[in-house]
Amino acid sequence: MSEPIIATEHLTRRFSRRDPDGRLGLRRTTLTAVDDLSIRIHPGEAVGYIGANGAGKSTTIKMLVGILVPTSGTVRTCGRDPLRERRQLAREVGVVFGQRSQLWWDLPLRESFTILGAIHEQGRAALTDRTDELVTTLGLGDFLTTPVRALSLGQRMRGEVAAALLHRPRLVILDEPTIGLDVLSKQQLREFLTAERGTHGTTLLLTTHDMGDIERLCDRVLVVDHGHLAYAGTLDDLARTSGAKRILVVDLAESASPLTGIPHTEHLSSQGNGVRQQLAFDPDRTSAAKVLAAVSERAEVLDLSIEEPDIEDVVRRIYHSRM
């Protein structure tokens, strides 16, 4: 098997901070953000790295790219030491932070690509070809000459992804890439990342709270909680391991009594005098189609939606199962 594109061994990062209750502010406490993390990600994989807020995801990413120094343990990214070979590693990794921008705020989007191409020492012909490819596949043509500050959030995020992929990195790290995007923008971005991976063999590491991103983009998931690796495996096994349930939300044609007694479901709530109701079900025991069929026998359904398990609840269940 080829060398892992990401490999960590007992990776740990601690932060020291002032204790606000300490006398004169002199007392300090230690926070462990990442704790004894050992993971392997191989070239061409798409892996979701998920967990609740404060679980250590962003800290891990910063160590993978050399922004933070580990307290202990080792990390190799693209076969390199991120600290000693940070400049070389930058040519092989693209990073998108949903809350931060690598684009020049007051310049047209196209100018950011030109500057980034120069930073990565891309030749004019190679930069033009790659820019044209990204403009076409990400649908950037209508706003290439628009200053970044004037772009919508969806347009800017597509621009951020293009900027991260401009130099054809082996590894793309996406930290909440679809945060705040509308449904259409999310779908366009997901389709592009799938195509990019299929065409160029790009490795994806994705952190997100959006289970839709994980379902559509990732082969497997790593769940971290309080800095510990709590789970590694497929998304289907994750749901089974946690015992989390999906939720069917139905809007009925008229008021109805609570839809209790439907096999393998739990009635969660009724709203609007029973016009809207929520049913939780275990996907290992039944399917959304079967639950909907049973509901339809008792009431006319006008609309429906399916809510995935809340990621924080999934992580909490897994973490407690290991205690």
Side-chain angles (χ1 to χ4, degrees), residues 121-138:
E121 299 180 353
Q122 289 178 286
R124 179 174 297 180
L127 176 60
T128 298
D129 288 346
R130 182 58 167 163
T131 300
D132 290 345
E133 178 186 6
L134 292 169
V135 167
T136 299
T137 53
L138 277 169

Side-chain angles (χ1 to χ4, degrees), residues 181-230:
L181 299 190
D182 58 43
V183 173
L184 179 58
S185 296
K186 283 186 181 184
Q187 181 62 23
Q188 290 174 330
L189 185 53
R190 290 165 180 167
E191 289 176 353
F192 167 75
L193 291 170
T194 300
E196 182 73 11
R197 182 184 169 211
T199 302
H200 300 292
T202 309
T203 304
L204 300 179
L205 178 63
L206 172 68
T207 76
T208 182
H209 285 80
D210 191 325
M211 293 298 286
D213 289 344
I214 300 295
E215 285 185 322
R216 291 165 177 79
L217 292 173
C218 298
D219 305 316
R220 63 187 179 98
V221 293
L222 306 172
V223 178
V224 64
D225 194 26
H226 293 89
H228 295 277
L229 183 64

Side-chain angles (χ1 to χ4, degrees), residues 215-280:
E215 285 185 322
R216 291 165 177 79
L217 292 173
C218 298
D219 305 316
R220 63 187 179 98
V221 293
L222 306 172
V223 178
V224 64
D225 194 26
H226 293 89
H228 295 277
L229 183 64
Y231 172 83
T234 67
L235 191 60
D236 288 342
D237 286 343
L238 170 62
R240 283 192 287 268
T241 299
S242 68
K245 295 181 179 180
R246 303 174 80 189
I247 298 173
L248 176 67
V249 182
V250 291
D251 290 334
L252 307 178
E254 56 186 27
S255 300
S257 58
L259 296 168
T260 58
I262 294 177
H264 310 302
T265 70
E266 175 189 357
H267 180 265
L268 297 180
S269 69
S270 295
Q271 301 166 16
N273 200 27
V275 172
R276 169 169 288 187
Q277 302 199 30
Q278 293 181 317
L279 300 172

Side-chain angles (χ1 to χ4, degrees), residues 64-83:
L64 291 178
V65 297
I67 296 174
L68 284 178
V69 180
T71 303
S72 62
T74 62
V75 55
R76 303 283 293 181
T77 306
C78 297
R80 299 184 183 278
D81 182 324
L83 293 173

Side-chain angles (χ1 to χ4, degrees), residues 38-191:
S38 297
I39 61 174
R40 292 284 188 278
I41 297 175
H42 293 278
E45 280 196 288
V47 177
Y49 189 49
I50 60 179
N53 289 329
K57 304 185 298 297
S58 294
T59 300
T60 302
I61 289 173
K62 290 174 182 177
M63 289 190 285
L64 291 178
V65 297
I67 296 174
L68 284 178
V69 180
T71 303
S72 62
T74 62
V75 55
R76 303 283 293 181
T77 306
C78 297
R80 299 184 183 278
D81 182 324
L83 293 173
R84 297 178 181 176
E85 301 176 273
R86 186 174 174 184
R87 184 183 295 273
Q88 297 92 325
L89 182 60
R91 302 182 186 278
E92 301 187 69
V93 177
V95 183
V96 176
F97 288 105
Q99 304 284 14
R100 296 182 178 88
S101 179
Q102 60 185 317
L103 303 173
W104 275 259
W105 198 243
D106 293 315
L107 295 180
L109 181 60
R110 182 185 291 278
E111 296 303 316
S112 286
F113 296 158
T114 301
I115 294 169
L116 289 167
I119 290 173
H120 289 293
E121 299 180 353
Q122 289 178 286
R124 179 174 297 180
L127 176 60
T128 298
D129 288 346
R130 182 58 167 163
T131 300
D132 290 345
E133 178 186 6
L134 292 169
V135 167
T136 299
T137 53
L138 277 169
L140 309 179
D142 291 341
F143 49 88
L144 268 179
T145 58
T146 303
V148 171
R149 68 174 184 275
L151 298 178
S152 70
L153 179 57
Q155 291 171 336
R156 183 175 68 79
M157 285 309 302
R158 280 185 278 162
E160 296 283 359
V161 171
L165 288 162
L166 194 64
H167 57 296
R168 297 188 190 276
R170 295 173 58 199
L171 169 65
V172 177
I173 300 174
L174 305 163
D175 189 7
E176 299 285 2
T178 63
I179 189 169
L181 299 190
D182 58 43
V183 173
L184 179 58
S185 296
K186 283 186 181 184
Q187 181 62 23
Q188 290 174 330
L189 185 53
R190 290 165 180 167
E191 289 176 353

